[in-house]
Amino acid sequence: MKRAATVSAGPGSGRSPAELLGRLRARHHDADPVTHVERVPARAGEPAPWPTWAPQELRAALAGRGVVAPWRHQAEAAELAYAGRHVVVATGTASGKSLAYQLPALATLLADPRATVLYLAPTKALAADQLRAVAGLELDGVRPACYDGDTPRAEREWIRKHSRFVLTNPDMLHHGILPGHANWSGFLRRLTYVVIDECHTYRGVFGSHVAHVLRRLRRLSGSPGRPSSPALASSRKAPVFVLASATSGDPATAAGRLTGLPVAAVTEDTSPRGGVTFALWEPPLLPSDAATGEADLVQVRRSALRETADLLADTVAEGVRTLAFVRSRKGAEVVAANARRSLDEAVPGLGDRVAAYRAGYLREERRELERALLHGDLLGLASTNALELGVDLVGLDAVLICGWPGTRASLWQQAGRAGRSGDEALAVLVARDDPLDTYLVHHPEALFGRPVEATVLDPANPYVLAPQLACAAAEAPLTPADLELFGEGAKEAVDSLVEAGALRQRPTGWYWRHRERPEVDLRGEGGAPVAVVEASTGRLLGTVDGGSSHFLIHAGAVYLHQGVSYVVDSLDLDDGCALVHAEEPDWSTHARDVTSLSVVSVRSYVDAGPVGMFLGEVDVTSQVVSYQRRRIASGEVIDTRPLDLPARELRTVAVWFTVSPQSLALAGVEAADIPGALHAAEHAAIGLLPLMATCDRWDIGGLSTALHPDTEAPTVFVYDGHPGGAGFAERAYGTAASWLRATRDAIAECGCESGCPSCVQSPKCGNGNNPLSKPDAVRVLDVVLANLPPATDADAPSGVVRAGPSSTPTDEPASTRAEQPAEAGLTPDDASGGPEPALPRQDDRTAARSTAHPAADAG
């Protein structure tokens, strides 16, 4: 598609989002790619007077930054916090949540020269953005500073001693600040406010870990249950927690579960909002002569990556500052590279105004990209979800979203990056060629007018609680009051740690027995990062997390870094290093893996005639075995080359049910339809388990097969995506009847004809949601429920051997990678492949795979 030959005046020319969308649509002459346009109207704001306690110095500084008065929700949340109430403000993107915590925090710092404030962000980019905002106020004595993994060693001691507004992330709080609390005693003793930004990102097992990190912080900063430490004996009062969240279901409950404190919620958004034109875009069908392989028989659509790259080039050519969100790191690089290439063909040099942004870049590169986008040096940026959160990107006019991001919360977060200055904005969701995205762009009611998802976490999870208690004991001996602070299950977890030899009980409390600290990874990224080094110069290009290294930087892989193409010469997993050389081949690489599940042991089971319900241990094994080389221009497969990489094994806990083929035949499920029936039932069961287990969908995985070798029957597995299990499968087994009844009803009551995201389609299906049979899934579950005795529906059924915390507390529950196809170097458009129907179907493969939380950009 030929790009525009000149650059227009851009947003300043007065072109509306509707006009811009019209120009983008006009480039498609054969068929209109837009299936729906949703108009989100503009909204006037409701200002409020400044709180009487806000000092004039702070008001003047804010006025100098363009804030003449707070909006009503900002003032309400600030008043609650200043009065000592823990509060969460859960309002829309760009609603100014930062002022709600800046007002009470900065007012207190100005009034009390000894007070301190701790700010926690899930990403480095967000913390850096907030640092710019607070430092820009130029308030005397506040001395804000970022303290994270990028902070030079030389600066860290100064920050500990002198900064009164420290910005960090949960990882650094867990690994650095709390273990070294003796060096932070002055800061912690005077801690007045703890700000937790974007708190909706702390969900699932990751959120459960963070919940206990916050309890450890409370313990060391003067909250009830603090240890009897002489260094903290003069602590005055407990800090006030102020949380900021995107709009979510029941934010007060989620914030209370995260902090362990009663939290008031402010949810009415009174900020002004510019109108948003939201388009659903379906790429056109490829001409029949452009198809290859199976596409010769089935028409396929243009890649969402290529379509997004063209749209990014088009908007940049129009002078419109645009951010394109892409699901994988490699995808972000591909979109940026293709957009640059198209722009340079039209106007030489214009491609320099487009770049990629993702985790794995060096700190200096990330900060320079953020600066260039903020100052307008860049017009287009292709990013992973590392920029999804509240980074203040004022001046962006359009957002492109390449593929469904997994949740409505993420969709609106990403769309809200544009129009933050109050101007009209354009958002475009570009559908991938798979059933889920196709359904969404043709059923806009599934996206618009629906509430966003609730944040789910479970601090009582014993597999999280035990290692976190071990960390707490290593910081200061545990007392009975501490066990109350850590909540339900703490005494049982401590007893198990004592039995395992990790803790020693004394009259004064429980003591950590080892010299080394417990090793607990909050995010479970699959191992230490692997350095990517240019072989000829020794220059460090970036890093790749251990969980993705087998897919992204195997020998022979094409690695993209800021538009420059490299080929991997070797991957040394022992040394954590991949050597690469610069090369621009006309092919791309796509890693292929195989996954299997085997039953290790059965802890408990229910024999219900043609139905069996089981709880036990399983081994989930995955291995990257080969990679394909494909022509960039045509997608033609050149060859498939073998790889010799070690298999990765996850021993975890699963719940599974079996159904006899005879009972399925009697229920009207044909043999050929069994795979689709079980597949659909598995997706729905995973989606409904959070109702019973207080887990997150991303914390569990599943597999279905018409004939599993260990069960010799049609089987559906649902397993915890964490080593040793996380307690979710046990909860599912204990409430099996209620869980599967809710699953069956959700499918049957959904108004769609053949299955949709509200019932049987999954946002993380490794097989592209194919095959699925909604009516046959209902028949399968009817058979199960008709035979399963109600006695299985109990919290602790007789015969269940409950798994306790790991006997080795340092072996924390770490998850495997999520979105494996995308992270593996397969673009989202390539992620529909899977095992042959006769093999076990690895679908919702594991937990915490979601790129919905920006794990890779933190720490």
Side-chain angles (χ1 to χ4, degrees), residues 681-759:
E682 172 211 330
H683 281 184
I686 288 173
L688 269 292
L689 184 53
L691 293 177
M692 308 295 169
T694 323
C695 65
D696 189 281
R697 179 171 191 146
W698 304 99
D699 287 320
I700 48 183
L703 181 145
S704 58
T705 173
L707 180 64
H708 193 275
D710 292 334
T711 65
E712 299 182 343
T715 310
V716 171
F717 292 89
V718 175
Y719 59 85
D720 296 348
H722 300 266
F728 306 139
E730 295 173 274
R731 178 66 176 171
Y733 181 83
T735 59
S738 295
W739 168 43
L740 296 179
R741 171 65 61 186
T743 300
R744 187 263 179 211
D745 292 346
I747 300 173
E749 294 170 5
C750 186
C752 69
E753 293 183 6
S754 57
C756 71
S758 296
C759 56

Side-chain angles (χ1 to χ4, degrees), residues 403-414:
W404 168 242
T407 65
R408 285 184 290 274
S410 287
L411 182 76
W412 288 107
Q413 280 287 103
Q414 293 180 4

Side-chain angles (χ1 to χ4, degrees), residues 330-690:
K330 185 172 183 178
E333 294 279 6
V334 168
V335 167
N338 286 345
R340 279 195 295 264
R341 187 179 301 112
S342 297
L343 288 166
D344 283 335
E345 289 175 357
V347 181
L350 185 55
D352 293 340
R353 303 194 71 182
V354 175
Y357 184 103
R358 59 172 175 78
Y361 284 173
L362 302 180
R363 176 194 185 190
E364 295 75 15
E365 290 178 300
R366 294 198 305 270
R367 299 297 175 261
E368 175 58 25
L369 288 170
E370 293 162 15
R371 185 208 63 78
L373 188 64
L374 288 168
H375 289 80
D377 298 335
L378 286 175
L379 279 177
L381 200 63
S383 172
T384 60
N385 66 340
L387 286 179
E388 176 180 316
L389 302 179
V391 179
D392 193 9
L393 301 176
V394 174
L396 286 178
D397 299 282
V399 166
L400 308 173
I401 302 169
C402 182
W404 168 242
T407 65
R408 285 184 290 274
S410 287
L411 182 76
W412 288 107
Q413 280 287 103
Q414 293 180 4
R417 293 303 96 203
R420 291 177 66 89
S421 58
D423 296 331
E424 296 281 320
L426 173 67
V428 180
L429 172 63
V430 181
R432 297 176 304 151
D433 190 13
D434 71 36
L436 177 58
D437 284 34
T438 300
Y439 174 88
L440 291 172
V441 296
H442 289 284
H443 293 80
E445 69 279 2
L447 295 176
F448 304 108
R450 295 280 187 93
V452 298
E453 302 83 0
T455 303
V456 180
L457 65 150
D458 182 13
N461 179 346
Y463 296 92
V464 172
L465 181 55
Q468 286 292 335
L469 283 168
C471 291
E475 290 156 3
L478 293 168
T479 67
D482 293 330
L483 302 191
E484 295 180 13
L485 175 67
F486 283 92
E488 178 187 354
K491 182 59 169 65
E492 293 79 2
V494 164
D495 290 343
S496 70
L497 290 168
V498 171
E499 183 179 355
L503 298 183
R504 176 184 289 113
Q505 186 171 4
R506 290 289 183 262
T508 53
W510 291 270
Y511 289 74
W512 178 245
R513 296 187 59 181
H514 306 292
R515 180 172 300 179
E516 303 81 10
R517 282 188 45 80
E519 290 293 331
V520 179
D521 179 6
L522 302 186
R523 300 177 186 260
E525 293 183 340
V530 178
V532 181
V533 177
E534 189 173 29
S536 60
T537 64
R539 180 168 64 103
L540 176 65
L541 298 177
T543 60
V544 172
D545 65 86
S548 300
S549 60
H550 289 206
F551 297 93
L552 295 180
I553 51 174
H554 57 78
V558 175
Y559 176 79
L560 297 176
H561 184 85
Q562 279 296 357
V564 179
S565 176
Y566 299 85
V567 174
V568 178
D569 298 317
S570 64
L571 170 62
D572 190 328
L573 294 172
D574 293 332
D575 289 342
C577 179
L579 297 179
V580 303
H581 69 271
E583 182 181 343
E584 298 224 9
D586 63 352
W587 39 265
S588 59
T589 54
H590 306 264
R592 316 300 290 179
D593 68 331
V594 295
T595 303
S596 62
L597 182 151
S598 60
V599 176
V600 176
S601 64
V602 175
R603 295 183 180 179
S604 180
Y605 70 94
V606 175
D607 185 348
V611 172
M613 179 67 62
F614 300 84
L615 175 73
E617 291 185 330
V618 298
D619 279 337
V620 181
T621 303
S622 62
Q623 182 178 19
V624 175
V625 296
S626 63
Y627 69 97
Q628 289 181 342
R629 296 193 306 161
R630 301 181 190 171
R631 300 277 183 206
I632 293 176
S634 65
E636 173 193 358
V637 175
I638 302 172
D639 58 21
T640 299
R641 299 190 172 189
L643 289 171
D644 183 20
L645 289 168
R648 288 176 166 173
E649 294 187 357
L650 170 69
R651 176 160 293 187
T652 186
V653 179
V655 59
W656 65 95
F657 65 81
T658 61
V659 191
S660 72
Q662 295 81 2
S663 65
L664 293 179
L666 291 173
V669 181
E670 300 291 338
D673 296 328
I674 290 177
L678 298 177
H679 192 189
E682 172 211 330
H683 281 184
I686 288 173
L688 269 292
L689 184 53

Side-chain angles (χ1 to χ4, degrees), residues 256-283:
R257 192 175 291 124
L258 182 65
T259 60
L261 296 164
V263 179
V266 175
T267 58
E268 184 181 359
D269 191 339
T270 59
S271 65
R273 181 181 64 193
V276 178
T277 299
F278 206 128
L280 304 183
W281 188 288
E282 186 174 42

